Amino acid sequence: MSKRLRSSEVCADCSAQDPCWASINRGILICDECCSVHRSLGRHISQVRHLKHTPWPPTLLQMVETLYNNGANSIWEHSLLDPASVMSGRRKASPQDKVHPNKAEFIRAKYQMLAFVHRLPCREDDSVTAKDLSKQLHSSVRTGNLETCLRLLSLGAQANFFHPEKGNTPLHVAAKAGQTLQAELLAVYGADPGTQDSNGKTPVDYARQGGHHELAERLVEIQYELTDRLAFYLCGRKPEHKNGQHFVIPQMADSLDLSELAKAAKKKLQSLSNHLFEELAMDVYDEVDRRETDAVWLATQNHSTLVTETTVVPFLPVNPEYSSTRNQGRQKLARFNAHEFATLVIDILSDAKRRQQGNPLTGSKENVELILKSISNQHSSESQDNDQPDYDSVASDEDTDLETNAAKSNRQKSLDSDLSDGPVTAQEYMQVKNALVASEVKIQQLMKVNVNLSDELRIMQKKASKLEKQSSVSESDYDNPTASLELEETGSGRKGRQRSVIWQGEGSIPEDADTTPSSSLPSTEDVIRKTEQITKNIQELLRAAQENKHDSYIPCSERIHVAVTEMAALFPKKPKSELVRTSLRLLTSSAYRLQSECKKTLPVETCPTTDIQLVTQQVIQCAYDIAKAAKQLVTITTKENNN
């Protein structure tokens, strides 16, 4: 941080002491509990960032500090400052209030409904009002009064407003006046540094002409913020814009050829119009932000109380301004494992560079969600089910490593580097990668599964009959036996049918052709006992991953494999129920694949190109699948035994 605020700082929503999160677009500081609610609202409502554990552009942090110190919170609580509000019973939340429903309801009313913001007199033509506000914003940004501009933006002023008489935008005015913090605020609200005025000049041009060189450099960074953020997520490195380098495109550590499906997906991605490509890129940007914030959250919270309903944001919240199809696709981005998501990000970076260099392909008029969905349909007719990821086709098959065309063309130029742009050695790359905490996203999900599983096991032991009703309400595709069957065949694993072949013999259920299908199932108590052992071993693996004890991966995976084998042995060799067979297949194949992934940690010292971070992410994914499959088996056996 550039500087710390006064020790008397308090949460803007509940007045708790020492808030450690900021809402950038609201200009406020918030505590952990209130931040969990902000995150659940989505970035279109509140853009949160940790004050200490997240990289900050110095001027962006200064902008938030300035707004906070100058009472920006009064913008969002205007009517609450009226003494009459106390008489009416309306009040803000307090530190002692429960997160749900007290704090959550207040925060939603404050930021989502804007219930306490000062309202302008109603006018018949709202567009005139917005135009008037935007003109006021246009003239205000030449001064340093940030809170005035934030108030105008909160009322509907447009950050990209093009003044018909002046022939420029508010960002042009701020850049010419050298108002760096105003430029930061405008950019947060969507101002484009690349917009040209009536003379064909951009805000960057005016900043340079005025001698505001640091501001000019910052505006260039803002212009490339999306691609910079994606690159930093993958390799912890950003381009050197000062030197004319505007893109860093990492490549996967493998050298396997692209599958036909992935080639088709890439071709469809390239055929998108610029507008639709930008929509997809923004969705992926939001998912990167969610995953990175999850990692910071995990690293800063009390792990004994971390995994609760108040802190988990498992997928991107709904943005009502988007279509339902796009919202579904955004949420399903969370299903991508580390390798799949990295492949999608690399493809977007590669195509963004191609488009920026002026090599457009014929634009497609199709909707971005439908284009990506159609690729998935080529893979399997069953993937037309709405539960399958709309963007799933862009990612790689779970067991097939991919690389982008850009990466392939640069492979010979980058034999000693894992980056296709820029002089970075493999050793430097590995040091940065090991410092990243991308795998913490899956760790958080795994912790959630383990805690929920332990709680449900205790409930089952006390009152198993309640599960019959609970089983009809699924938490995820694996929790719903029917949905999980579809998922295993066509879903996020993407290799459903192949998986049972790949792991045949070592990881799959032994099915003797002469064995008569059996409908008998083990007792619920036995399954629960074995599941508890699996959960305990997974927690040991989780701790090893958190502490970067990579040498513990193999022994942990072996103990998990033994526990899984013992659990599978409880069931008949050929269960009659297809749901049981599917769950057991997922359980055992995931355990075998976990062992295979853990063995990749052996040559780290002798083979510096081994991507230990990617291995860790795959290890966590396998453990996650094991925990979910075990939980599903408990649910199925309990339900069947109670019937």
Side-chain angles (χ1 to χ4, degrees), residues 10 44-45 48 65 154 158 168 180 210 224 234 280 411 434 478 487 516 537 556 612 627 632:
V10 296
H44 58 288
I45 301 295
V48 300
E65 291 174 343
S154 73
Q158 299 301 305
N168 57 13
T180 302
Y224 289 94
L234 291 178
L280 175 59
R411 178 169 296 281
N434 289 335
Y478 280 130
L487 184 65
T516 303
N537 293 329
C556 285
I612 192 65
Q632 182 181 327

Side-chain angles (χ1 to χ4, degrees), residues 242-365:
K242 293 181 182 179
N243 302 329
Q245 181 198 33
H246 299 309
F247 293 91
V248 168
I249 305 177
Q251 64 186 43
M252 306 304 283
D254 56 82
S255 59
L256 297 181
D257 291 336
L258 291 169
S259 67
E260 291 302 318
L261 176 64
K263 289 179 181 178
K266 190 181 302 296
K267 186 175 181 180
K268 288 286 188 179
L269 180 68
Q270 292 174 343
S271 71
L272 290 174
S273 67
N274 288 338
H275 173 70
L276 294 178
F277 177 78
E278 287 174 1
E279 284 189 357
L280 175 59
M282 287 189 292
D283 292 345
V284 172
Y285 177 96
D286 287 350
E287 175 64 12
V288 165
D289 181 83
R290 185 193 70 82
R291 295 189 182 208
E292 288 188 331
T293 307
D294 273 343
V296 173
W297 189 279
L298 180 66
T300 57
Q301 301 301 298
N302 182 340
H303 287 203
S304 64
T305 59
L306 168 63
V307 186
T308 67
E309 291 183 359
T310 64
T311 60
V312 171
V313 181
F315 46 74
L316 291 174
V318 172
N319 185 337
E321 296 183 1
Y322 297 158
S323 67
S324 59
T325 309
R326 183 177 177 185
N327 275 311
Q328 290 168 6
R330 283 165 54 85
Q331 292 184 349
K332 290 167 186 174
L333 286 172
R335 290 186 185 173
F336 285 19
N337 64 29
H339 195 113
E340 291 172 336
F341 190 64
T343 303
L344 172 57
V345 172
I346 289 172
D347 286 351
I348 288 176
L349 285 172
S350 299
D351 211 49
K353 182 178 181 180
R354 177 186 65 79
R355 292 167 187 260
Q356 194 266 350
Q357 291 177 342
N359 300 317
L361 299 177
T362 302
S364 172
K365 296 182 179 179

Side-chain angles (χ1 to χ4, degrees), residues 409-479:
S409 65
N410 285 283
R411 178 169 296 281
Q412 295 302 319
K413 301 177 184 178
S414 310
L415 292 177
D416 297 325
S417 173
D418 280 331
L419 295 175
S420 62
D421 273 330
V424 178
T425 65
Q427 182 178 4
E428 293 174 34
Y429 173 71
M430 286 306 303
Q431 289 174 348
V432 174
K433 286 288 288 181
N434 289 335
L436 295 178
V437 291
S439 64
E440 296 285 13
V441 177
K442 284 300 178 187
I443 292 177
Q444 182 187 5
Q445 293 176 335
L446 181 57
M447 290 179 67
K448 177 178 182 290
V449 171
N450 282 331
V451 171
N452 288 346
L453 181 57
S454 298
D455 291 342
E456 290 182 16
L457 290 176
R458 286 192 292 269
I459 294 173
M460 290 174 187
Q461 289 169 325
K462 293 180 180 180
K463 199 168 183 180
S465 61
K466 286 186 177 181
L467 273 176
E468 184 172 0
K469 293 182 179 179
Q470 294 177 353
S471 64
S472 63
V473 182
S474 63
E475 293 179 7
S476 69
D477 287 327
Y478 280 130
D479 296 341

Side-chain angles (χ1 to χ4, degrees), residues 364-376:
S364 172
K365 296 182 179 179
E366 295 181 71
N367 184 280
V368 62
E369 303 96 323
L370 299 181
I371 287 177
L372 296 174
K373 182 102 174 162
S374 68
I375 306 170
S376 178

